[in-house]
Amino acid sequence: AFVSSVRKPKDGFLSFSSIKTKLQIVLLLTSLLGLLLLSGSLTISERNNAVKAIEAELSSMAEAVAHNSGGSLVSGDREGAAEILKSFAKEPDIIFAGIFTKNGSRLAEFDRSQSQDFKDARLHKIIPALATEDISEKEVAATLSTISDGYCYVLRPVLDNGEMVGA
């Protein structure tokens, strides 16, 4: 007598695969997951580094403007203040720069946006003190730099003899 048994294959993706093949697939999927996580973390890290670099560059520009505009703010020299801001014309990524008196009015501005709505809505949202016409050192310190709506905003106090005369 002859008896033969044929195993009926199980339905499934890896039903006919050997242990070796299954282990290779698990290792491959683990490696792909690792690469995906690594590339995601590198992308996030690079974005954060780019944002920090932009903030640092804008901060140094704002510091230079604040340092150079104290005399213009004290004397109310609009032309001198505007001359200080002209250097931003060479920076294509700078959309708006302004020198503000302590009561929030603009002494001078550089404006590439050509949109009053852009300036007023965004500036008052980011720097509420500009809308209330009362800029304090505390508020300037709280808004040294921030990113909102895809724009980086940097605010620095303008000092004259150690006293804040504007921003």
Side-chain angles (χ1 to χ4, degrees), residues 95 118 122 146-153:
I95 295 174
F118 173 85
R122 290 184 187 276
T146 186
I147 296 178
S148 176
D149 301 329
Y151 293 95
C152 183
Y153 298 88

Side-chain angles (χ1 to χ4, degrees), residues 14-25:
L14 296 174
S15 61
F16 287 112
S17 299
S18 67
I19 292 289
K20 180 181 177 182
T21 304
K22 290 176 184 176
L23 285 174
Q24 287 175 336
I25 290 173

Side-chain angles (χ1 to χ4, degrees), residues 81-82 85 96-100 106-111 116 119:
L85 296 178
F96 177 82
I99 299 174
F100 298 89
R106 287 186 193 101
L107 181 69
E109 66 183 33
F110 166 79
D111 183 18
Q116 192 67 29
K119 290 183 291 195

Side-chain angles (χ1 to χ4, degrees), residues 48-114:
N48 289 340
N49 289 339
V51 167
K52 287 178 185 176
I54 289 169
E55 282 187 54
E57 183 179 354
L58 289 176
S59 292
S60 67
M61 289 179 190
E63 289 286 342
V65 168
H67 180 74
N68 293 326
S69 61
S72 296
L73 263 171
V74 170
S75 65
D77 180 13
R78 292 181 180 278
E79 292 172 8
E83 189 67 33
I84 292 169
L85 296 178
K86 274 188 183 179
S87 63
F88 289 117
K90 296 175 186 171
E91 299 289 335
D93 294 332
I94 304 291
I95 295 174
F96 177 82
I99 299 174
F100 298 89
T101 63
K102 195 170 182 176
N103 68 3
S105 63
R106 287 186 193 101
L107 181 69
E109 66 183 33
F110 166 79
D111 183 18
R112 189 167 298 186
S113 72
Q114 304 300 319

